[in-house]
Amino acid sequence: MSSFATVAEQIKCDILSKTHVEDNAAKRKEIARTFISDTITVPTKEMYEYATLSTIGDDVYFEPSTNALETHIAKLTGKEAALFMPSGTASNQIALRTHLMQPPYSVLCDHRAHINKYEAGGAAFHSGAAVSALIPSNGNKIAIIGHHLTLNDVKQNIIMGTDTHLAPTEVVALENTLNGTIFPQDEIIAISDFVHSHGKKMHLDGARLWHVAAETGTSVKELCDPFDSISLCFSKGLGAPVGSCLAGSAAFIKKARWFRKLFGGGMRQTGILAASAAYALTYNFPLLEAGLEEIGVEITSKAETCMVFYDPASIGVTFDEIADRASDLPEPLILGGSRLVIHIQTSEGAVNDFLSIIRQLAEEKRAAGFVKPPPAANGVYKDIYVRRIPKTTA
Ligand SMILES: *Cc1c(COP(=O)(O)O)cnc(C)c1O
């Protein structure tokens, strides 16, 4: 063999297994019974068919279908411009990097915020920023932890002035929904007016802002008006395969495009991704209206949109016991810890099976003499997000 043929032989690759069609059918079933997240939602054949019609340009040199999506998102959010991003994390981190110019500075947010907890310390790494992560003060009996940051929380904790010991707050980053809860818009407006009156910036991590619009009937533009920059996600609740969008002023997006390239996120033929996102906005957004179930155990964070947090300790049951029962079903359910996420591809049967397991376990524990303990004293901090990585996923 010539050396070229040898090299070609080494390089060639077929990723399709003999059983991939059946495997994917089984995977779709599993997705309908998985409560760990809505990131697992998958493109449908119809979405892919629409995507193949997209334009085929290189987006580093401005791609028409991608541009059309960005223009639509800019209009939808009421901003001058938008930029397609590979992920929500990239979108948030590039937004912070674009807002933050000359250290020292800090970012103020809720302690549960994705930016604070689940972006691998990105604010420190990419922007050299300190993070002031606050526990909201408005806790109550249902959610001891507090529901959302208030104007007072922000006033009490924003860092301003010229004390050289401190890193001044440059950006206040809010999240809506946060753990599936809806941030009251009047509080957001009050915070925004205060923050802007001091010349600071407002960023919205709106990965699941779609749910707020669906649930409250408020326009996306109205929800975005108090913010200088907004990140929206297509690949979670809406079921597109890849992508988020960052929106802001023309000058902000121009700079963010530069940082996106610098961070390695300048992508080429993104038309198919933009088209999948557009399909998701058109056909999957209306599916978000689907009803949500409440569960007869302690609800640590009420279901306002697609997420509910619960604590089965109140019925004497552990998350592992529930997960074990779930994986023993003829058609297993895949569960994380305290967080249940319902998505557009969740089956009703899966919800009913989950509730049956809880009822059954509660019954067994009661029969074995379990007595419900008194509730924790109010004001006690309780971290409601018990993360449990399911055994079936890597
Ligand atoms: C998932 C998520 C992100 C990050 O999105 P990725 O695409 O997973 O990087 C950011 N913010 C919130 C609120 C999220 O839920």
Side-chain angles (χ1 to χ4, degrees):
M1 245 196 289
S2 72
S3 62
F4 175 79
T6 311
V7 173
E9 186 61 30
Q10 289 162 348
I11 286 176
K12 76 179 192 187
C13 172
D14 179 10
I15 52 131
L16 302 181
S17 76
K18 289 208 167 58
T19 59
H20 81 272
V21 174
E22 301 90 88
D23 293 349
N24 280 353
K27 188 73 189 173
R28 280 182 199 277
K29 255 193 177 161
E30 184 188 293
I31 286 161
R33 301 179 64 78
T34 298
F35 291 99
I36 57 169
S37 183
D38 49 3
T39 54
I40 55 151
T41 47
V42 285
T44 56
K45 196 159 160 271
E46 294 76 18
M47 181 185 280
Y48 275 150
E49 274 165 8
Y50 178 79
T52 59
L53 304 174
S54 63
T55 53
I56 50 177
D58 175 342
D59 191 48
V60 169
Y61 303 106
F62 298 93
E63 200 291 309
S65 287
T66 313
N67 258 339
L69 176 71
E70 290 169 341
T71 304
H72 175 69
I73 293 295
K75 187 163 162 253
L76 191 65
T77 55
K79 302 298 171 198
E80 289 171 351
L83 184 63
F84 189 65
M85 292 285 188
S87 71
T89 302
S91 193
N92 280 333
Q93 291 299 323
I94 290 170
L96 293 183
R97 189 62 197 83
T98 308
H99 283 308
L100 299 169
M101 307 225 192
Q102 179 67 47
Y105 40 54
S106 58
V107 175
L108 187 151
C109 61
D110 192 302
H111 73 115
R112 301 162 298 174
H114 202 276
I115 281 179
N116 180 47
K117 283 187 90 171
Y118 305 117
E119 295 185 7
F125 185 83
H126 297 297
S127 297
V131 175
S132 311
L134 311 185
I135 297 176
S137 59
N138 57 5
N140 57 38
K141 274 193 207 121
I142 297 169
I144 296 163
I145 203 165
H147 186 274
H148 57 270
L149 290 180
T150 61
L151 173 60
N152 202 40
D153 291 334
V154 174
K155 277 185 176 169
Q156 304 265 313
N157 291 281
I158 197 164
I159 303 168
M160 292 188 288
T162 53
D163 183 339
T164 57
H165 295 86
L166 307 177
T169 304
E170 201 50 49
V171 175
V172 172
L174 304 181
E175 194 171 307
N176 200 10
T177 62
L178 194 163
N179 285 351
T181 61
I182 295 172
F183 207 133
Q185 192 65 13
D186 51 355
E187 195 76 46
I188 291 180
I189 292 169
I191 292 172
S192 170
D193 288 348
F194 170 75
V195 168
H196 284 142
S197 74
H198 290 281
K200 313 291 186 181
K201 288 147 202 147
M202 292 281 293
H203 173 71
L204 173 64
D205 180 350
R208 295 190 182 85
L209 192 68
W210 314 115
H211 295 85
V212 183
E215 194 62 32
T216 64
T218 313
S219 73
V220 173
K221 179 183 178 301
E222 195 178 330
L223 296 171
C224 294
D225 276 345
F227 296 94
D228 301 290
S229 59
I230 298 106
S231 176
L232 298 169
C233 177
F234 305 118
S235 68
K236 287 184 171 165
L238 293 182
V242 174
S244 285
C245 226
L246 179 64
S249 71
F252 174 84
I253 292 297
K254 192 171 174 200
K255 191 76 179 178
R257 178 176 278 273
W258 211 318
F259 278 121
R260 187 184 67 173
K261 192 81 179 95
L262 184 158
F263 280 42
M267 299 172 287
R268 301 298 182 176
Q269 280 71 30
T270 52
I272 48 167
L273 300 179
S276 299
Y279 183 95
L281 290 172
T282 306
Y283 295 102
N284 290 355
F285 175 76
L287 303 178
L288 293 181
E289 259 199 304
L292 299 162
E293 296 271 349
E294 286 232 347
I295 305 152
V297 293
E298 186 186 356
I299 303 296
T300 52
S301 178
K302 227 159 42 90
E304 293 177 12
T305 56
C306 68
M307 275 180 215
V308 63
F309 289 78
Y310 72 109
D311 184 358
S314 61
I315 53 167
V317 176
T318 66
F319 291 115
D320 281 337
E321 282 177 294
I322 297 168
D324 286 346
R325 290 281 169 102
S327 59
D328 286 347
L329 290 175
E331 287 185 21
L333 294 174
I334 301 179
L335 300 169
S338 61
R339 187 178 82 158
L340 296 168
V341 185
I342 310 289
H343 51 76
I344 55 171
Q345 289 161 351
T346 305
S347 76
E348 211 175 307
V351 175
N352 292 335
D353 287 352
F354 174 76
L355 293 174
S356 302
I357 289 174
I358 300 287
R359 265 186 228 110
Q360 174 79 28
L361 277 168
E363 192 56 44
E364 286 173 25
K365 297 288 170 177
R366 250 195 318 271
F370 178 81
V371 181
K372 193 177 190 303
N378 205 357
V380 175
Y381 170 68
K382 184 170 179 183
D383 195 345
I384 51 165
Y385 194 175
V386 180
R387 270 169 95 84
R388 181 187 165 281
I389 305 299
K391 291 176 194 127
T392 46
T393 59

